[in-house]
Amino acid sequence: MTVATTRDLRQQNRTKVLRTLVLSGETTRATLAADCELSPATVTNVVNELIDDGVVEEIGSVPSEGGRPIARLALRAAGAHMLGADVGERGVAVELFDLSMNRLDREFREWPVSMAGPAEIHESLGAAVAAVRARHPEVEATLVGLGLGLPGVVERDHEHWQEATLYAQNLGWAPTPVGDLVSAPGLEVFADNGANTLAVAEMWFGAARGADDAVVALLGRGIGLGVICGGQLVRGALGAAGEWGHTKIGLGAGPTCGCGATGCLEAYIGAHAILERWRATGAQEPGEGWRALSALVAAAEAGEPAAIGVVDETLDVLAVALANLVNLTNPERIVLGGWVGLRLLPTRRDDLTERVRRLSLHRPGSQFTVELCRFEGDSVALGAALMPLQAFIDRPRVRERAAVR
Amino acid sequence: MTVATTRDLRQQNRTKVLRTLVLSGETTRATLAADCELSPATVTNVVNELIDDGVVEEIGSVPSEGGRPIARLALRAAGAHMLGADVGERGVAVELFDLSMNRLDREFREWPVSMAGPAEIHESLGAAVAAVRARHPEVEATLVGLGLGLPGVVERDHEHWQEATLYAQNLGWAPTPVGDLVSAPGLEVFADNGANTLAVAEMWFGAARGADDAVVALLGRGIGLGVICGGQLVRGALGAAGEWGHTKIGLGAGPTCGCGATGCLEAYIGAHAILERWRATGAQEPGEGWRALSALVAAAEAGEPAAIGVVDETLDVLAVALANLVNLTNPERIVLGGWVGLRLLPTRRDDLTERVRRLSLHRPGSQFTVELCRFEGDSVALGAALMPLQAFIDRPRVRERAAVR
DNA sequence: CCTCTTAATCTAAGTCGTGAAGTAAGGAGG
DNA sequence: CCTCCTTACTTCACGACTTAGATTAAGAGG
């Protein structure tokens, strides 16, 4: 993103305008000028370019205060299309979005075997992508790329999206180049950790919207995290940042985690650990997963002491971990999601907020709000599709690219 | 830092060149062009401007491979001057730097009373600044500003350096506007937390140099931290980020901290806690501070079991805390300093590295190196002076500023 | 003295954003 | 229907910028 020539300047302004349009959906030229800090003349130029490229259109007008009506500007939804894939525990979901991030199609494939490996991913993912593309031949011309939300650490060199490598340590896979996970002829492929894509989705369109400094935590079987600093996702040196589940919080003591260590956050408040604790109170075997957790929450709401104890304990640990994060990153917003979080927290949000405030330092501790994720679990694919969208937004205008080639 | 007009463009290129010059001290035009990704012509233009402004000078030439000699470019050290202040536990140190960050002068004033408050700071700081300025009347014309490294959270609105407020919760002070801490007529004042300024110093000229993602931890009486992500210090929503000392690592258990909570990192590995543990083993009362710690380290190196145990325990806890940080931010480098760190770690660095690797996840855990701070304790003022330096670098050329006024 | 090599600068051309001036588009009043 | 007014947007002349390529600077070797 180095700006050096006057041409880069134009491209950067184009990016600014396009980004603002994607975020607001619809505006006017004057508003755009104010939001992007550009002169009206520049906005006219850039917008004309965008209209030329079929990315933006005028949709009627709004009466002004006594003068010429204000033209309403909107994205031309069909101007670009993105594919996003959620490679999850049970299968792979591929979704097709237009420029307004409307979901046009979805294809889900369960893994053929219980615990899939790179080979199964390759097959199912390729098939799902092909199926969606076959159903929508009209978008081929405007298809920007395919984003993958993957389970595990996705490592890449700075700025080299391609040549990324997936390390799914907890699934026991060998390091796998992302290129081996999918063959999508003619498509640029982007990849990131699923929690990161979800955090980006919340940042663009969800509960973290507008917050330059936020923390998005996902509570499920595992514990995921995306940290946003200064409007950007923290990726670290090689994109492995945001691994929160194995934060040691019990100092040598505490339950044993799947990773072999003791005192990991996940070993306290991962879904399995929560239910295990409930079981240990003598509750009748409630199984695993969503139903069991629902039963726990219902029992707690019904006033059952054992269940209340388990939930309280979970909130305690979560609050400590969040408070540590608050002290460290001074966020403006904490966003909580994941299926466990979305089941457990709606009724306890204020309680949790209170605990986190109490456990963090006075200053950073008084500056955040706690929100729940806007999107239920299936926004990993949406977030993944935001990677090609970002690339599209950052790209110089279509014609020039064509001319360069 | 929004670039919108062509003028901003020039200024940004100027900034790039100047920054590179400050970092490298001396270069040539061609190297500059490569480093800044600018064309030779642009570099010539910008450099001419800088020479005009008295900030850069040609200092002889290097023979080239058979052709015209290459002109050596260097900063004109006298082109600008900065003041940095370290407001610490024992007193205030004010230092004067030139553009090459040579320290030209230093003035230290102890607090008149044991625990100073805002009023004493105002007096001592003002006197020290005045003394240094009086001794160097020749720098007045090129004095850019005064940077303060303060003990406590410095809060400010995004981009509003002025109007910052100091919250020194642990010193028991009421929130104090930075403007009330110093009167420095005619000087622009910048302020930040001391740990942050030190981290910035290490980032510019010390052990974290060249690392875009790093973590700088300071071990002393308290525990400080500066996190660098993507080449920039993480400040959080209001600049309160990086509070690491009160990270709860003992989950409800653990020693009681000065802040009232239990299990804080500082309560394990703060200087006081370390020495307290040693005392608990029956060691003869060794006092407090540097001498006591030195005695502990010496005893450990001499093979005294109790001392070894205390040091090992300290490293254990530190390793856990660092591993958590590694998982979270995936740094390329960990830099350790503070007087405790600098006494304790030189002989145990590899040991600590090993422990952190073992406790962190495989991927982020295999990508960092551990370094010790280059600057002994007194680099807070240097780091503080980097704030005005940064402002100077980011500023458009002198004449235009004069013209605008 | 000439030629060769490399470094730095200059020149012409092209691009960009801006502010001022001009145009478009509606409403109000006659 | 016409004129005038208001507001929204566009055009244009201008200055500032970068760049590619030509030119000059400065030494080495023959």
Side-chain angles (χ1 to χ4, degrees):
Chain A
M1 243 278 258
T2 320
V3 179
T5 88
T6 52
R7 237 185 197 131
D8 297 333
L9 221 177
R10 162 56 65 92
Q11 186 206 313
Q12 185 176 303
N13 287 341
R14 181 193 152 102
T15 296
K16 256 188 236 167
V17 168
L18 201 43
R19 184 189 161 84
T20 308
L21 261 162
V22 168
L23 283 174
S24 52
E26 183 192 317
T27 16
T28 69
R29 288 187 176 79
T31 316
L32 225 37
D35 289 350
C36 304
E37 298 182 309
L38 297 171
S39 70
T42 300
V43 170
T44 292
N45 290 335
V46 172
V47 166
N48 281 347
E49 204 181 282
L50 291 171
I51 292 177
D52 259 21
D53 290 349
V55 176
V56 168
E57 58 189 350
E58 286 198 4
I59 49 164
S61 56
V62 183
S64 74
E65 296 169 9
R68 171 176 171 174
I70 307 168
R72 291 163 61 206
L73 295 175
L75 288 176
R76 208 174 70 87
H81 295 86
M82 282 76 55
L83 285 167
D86 175 2
V87 178
E89 292 164 15
R90 289 184 309 196
V92 56
V94 170
E95 308 185 350
L96 174 68
F97 299 89
D98 64 19
L99 191 48
S100 301
M101 276 297 156
N102 301 309
R103 190 164 76 190
L104 302 184
D105 197 359
R106 177 182 164 93
E107 172 88 13
F108 179 78
R109 305 235 163 173
E110 263 186 60
W111 301 129
V113 291
S114 69
M115 173 102 306
E120 286 80 23
I121 292 185
H122 183 95
E123 189 177 324
S124 297
L125 188 53
V129 168
V132 172
R133 289 175 83 173
R135 281 203 293 272
H136 297 271
E138 76 280 6
V139 307
E140 279 298 320
T142 51
L143 207 48
V144 177
L146 164 65
L148 306 180
L150 299 173
V153 172
V154 176
E155 236 180 66
R156 67 181 88 73
D157 250 322
H158 265 313
E159 310 295 317
H160 281 97
W161 291 90
Q162 319 295 334
E163 303 162 32
T165 306
L166 169 65
Y167 295 83
Q169 193 181 358
N170 52 338
L171 299 183
W173 299 355
T176 314
V178 168
D180 291 358
L181 288 179
V182 64
S183 63
L187 279 188
E188 200 171 348
V189 177
F190 306 81
D192 203 348
N193 171 275
N196 280 356
T197 68
L198 208 148
V200 171
E202 290 293 335
M203 178 171 106
W204 279 69
F205 300 110
R209 187 166 178 163
D212 271 350
D213 297 271
V215 145
V216 182
L218 302 173
L219 313 178
R221 226 159 62 97
I223 307 290
L225 181 74
V227 178
I228 293 158
C229 280
Q232 286 215 302
L233 189 69
V234 171
R235 295 185 190 276
L238 288 171
E243 289 294 322
W244 195 43
H246 301 280
T247 297
K248 271 66 175 176
I249 207 176
L251 196 57
T256 303
C257 175
C259 75
T262 61
C264 291
L265 184 56
E266 198 167 304
Y268 287 100
I269 62 170
H272 185 75
I274 298 175
L275 293 171
E276 188 61 41
R277 277 209 308 282
W278 193 25
R279 219 168 284 136
T281 67
Q284 65 251 37
E285 174 67 45
E288 279 289 336
W290 170 263
R291 303 186 64 131
L293 190 82
S294 265
L296 169 65
V297 174
E301 277 167 8
E304 201 179 290
I308 292 179
V310 169
V311 170
D312 270 355
E313 221 175 333
T314 305
L315 287 188
D316 265 342
V317 175
L318 178 60
V320 167
L322 284 176
N324 288 346
L325 223 44
V326 165
N327 285 343
L328 201 60
T329 67
N330 183 21
E332 164 181 355
R333 209 167 299 163
I334 296 177
V335 178
L336 296 166
W339 59 270
V340 172
L342 290 175
R343 185 67 190 89
L344 204 60
L345 296 173
T347 57
R348 306 294 296 271
R349 202 179 71 177
D350 294 343
D351 182 13
L352 179 68
T353 307
E354 196 39 54
R355 289 174 199 234
V356 177
R357 286 203 204 290
R358 215 168 37 233
L359 287 164
S360 48
L361 291 177
H362 178 60
R363 291 312 302 174
S366 57
Q367 294 164 358
F368 63 86
T369 59
V370 174
E371 305 278 341
L372 293 183
C373 275
R374 288 293 149 72
F375 305 111
E376 312 275 324
D378 47 333
S379 59
V380 169
L382 170 66
L386 288 176
M387 288 187 281
L389 175 64
Q390 180 87 54
F392 179 74
I393 289 179
D394 288 342
R395 207 130 74 181
R397 72 177 306 191
V398 190
R399 285 195 199 153
E400 291 198 343
R401 277 189 301 134
V404 166
R405 279 176 193 168
Chain B
M1 244 278 257
T2 319
V3 177
T5 90
T6 52
R7 233 187 200 130
D8 297 332
L9 219 179
R10 159 56 66 95
Q11 186 207 315
Q12 185 176 303
N13 287 342
R14 181 193 154 100
T15 296
K16 256 188 238 169
V17 168
L18 202 43
R19 184 190 161 82
T20 308
L21 261 162
V22 168
L23 283 175
S24 52
E26 181 192 319
T27 16
T28 69
R29 289 187 174 80
T31 315
L32 223 38
D35 288 352
C36 303
E37 298 182 308
L38 296 172
S39 70
T42 300
V43 170
T44 291
N45 289 335
V46 171
V47 167
N48 283 345
E49 202 180 285
L50 292 172
I51 291 177
D52 257 24
D53 290 351
V55 174
V56 169
E57 58 191 350
E58 286 197 6
I59 48 164
S61 57
V62 183
S64 74
E65 295 168 10
R68 172 174 173 174
I70 308 169
R72 290 163 61 207
L73 296 174
L75 287 176
R76 208 173 71 86
H81 296 85
M82 283 77 54
L83 285 167
D86 174 3
V87 179
E89 294 165 11
R90 290 184 307 195
V92 58
V94 170
E95 308 185 350
L96 173 67
F97 298 89
D98 64 19
L99 190 48
S100 300
M101 278 295 156
N102 301 309
R103 189 163 77 189
L104 304 183
D105 198 0
R106 178 183 162 91
E107 172 90 12
F108 180 77
R109 306 236 164 173
E110 263 186 61
W111 301 130
V113 292
S114 69
M115 173 102 303
E120 286 81 23
I121 292 186
H122 183 95
E123 189 177 325
S124 298
L125 188 54
V129 168
V132 171
R133 290 175 83 173
R135 281 202 293 272
H136 298 269
E138 76 280 6
V139 307
E140 280 298 320
T142 51
L143 208 47
V144 177
L146 165 65
L148 306 179
L150 300 173
V153 173
V154 176
E155 235 178 69
R156 67 182 87 74
D157 249 321
H158 265 311
E159 311 294 316
H160 281 97
W161 291 91
Q162 319 294 336
E163 300 163 34
T165 306
L166 169 65
Y167 295 85
Q169 192 181 358
N170 50 337
L171 300 183
W173 299 356
T176 315
V178 168
D180 291 1
L181 288 179
V182 63
S183 63
L187 281 189
E188 200 171 347
V189 176
F190 305 81
D192 203 346
N193 171 275
N196 280 356
T197 70
L198 208 147
V200 171
E202 291 292 333
M203 179 170 104
W204 277 69
F205 300 109
R209 185 166 179 166
D212 272 351
D213 298 271
V215 145
V216 181
L218 302 173
L219 314 178
R221 227 159 62 97
I223 307 290
L225 182 73
V227 179
I228 293 158
C229 280
Q232 287 215 301
L233 189 69
V234 170
R235 295 184 190 276
L238 288 171
E243 290 294 323
W244 196 43
H246 300 281
T247 297
K248 272 67 176 177
I249 207 177
L251 196 60
T256 302
C257 175
C259 76
T262 61
C264 291
L265 183 57
E266 198 166 304
Y268 287 101
I269 61 171
H272 184 74
I274 297 175
L275 293 171
E276 188 61 43
R277 275 209 308 282
W278 192 28
R279 219 167 285 135
T281 67
Q284 66 251 37
E285 175 67 45
E288 279 287 337
W290 170 263
R291 302 185 64 127
L293 191 81
S294 265
L296 168 64
V297 173
E301 277 167 8
E304 202 179 289
I308 291 179
V310 170
V311 171
D312 270 355
E313 221 175 335
T314 306
L315 288 188
D316 264 343
V317 176
L318 177 60
V320 167
L322 285 175
N324 288 346
L325 221 45
V326 165
N327 285 343
L328 201 61
T329 67
N330 183 22
E332 163 184 354
R333 209 168 299 166
I334 296 177
V335 178
L336 296 167
W339 59 272
V340 172
L342 290 176
R343 185 67 190 89
L344 205 59
L345 296 175
T347 57
R348 306 296 297 267
R349 201 180 73 178
D350 294 342
D351 182 14
L352 178 68
T353 308
E354 195 42 51
R355 290 174 199 236
V356 177
R357 286 205 206 289
R358 215 167 38 232
L359 287 164
S360 50
L361 290 178
H362 178 61
R363 290 313 301 174
S366 57
Q367 295 164 357
F368 63 84
T369 59
V370 174
E371 306 277 342
L372 292 183
C373 276
R374 289 290 149 75
F375 306 112
E376 312 276 323
D378 47 332
S379 60
V380 169
L382 170 64
L386 288 176
M387 289 187 282
L389 175 63
Q390 179 88 55
F392 179 74
I393 288 179
D394 289 342
R395 207 130 73 181
R397 71 177 306 190
V398 190
R399 288 198 195 149
E400 291 197 347
R401 276 189 301 136
V404 166
R405 276 174 195 167

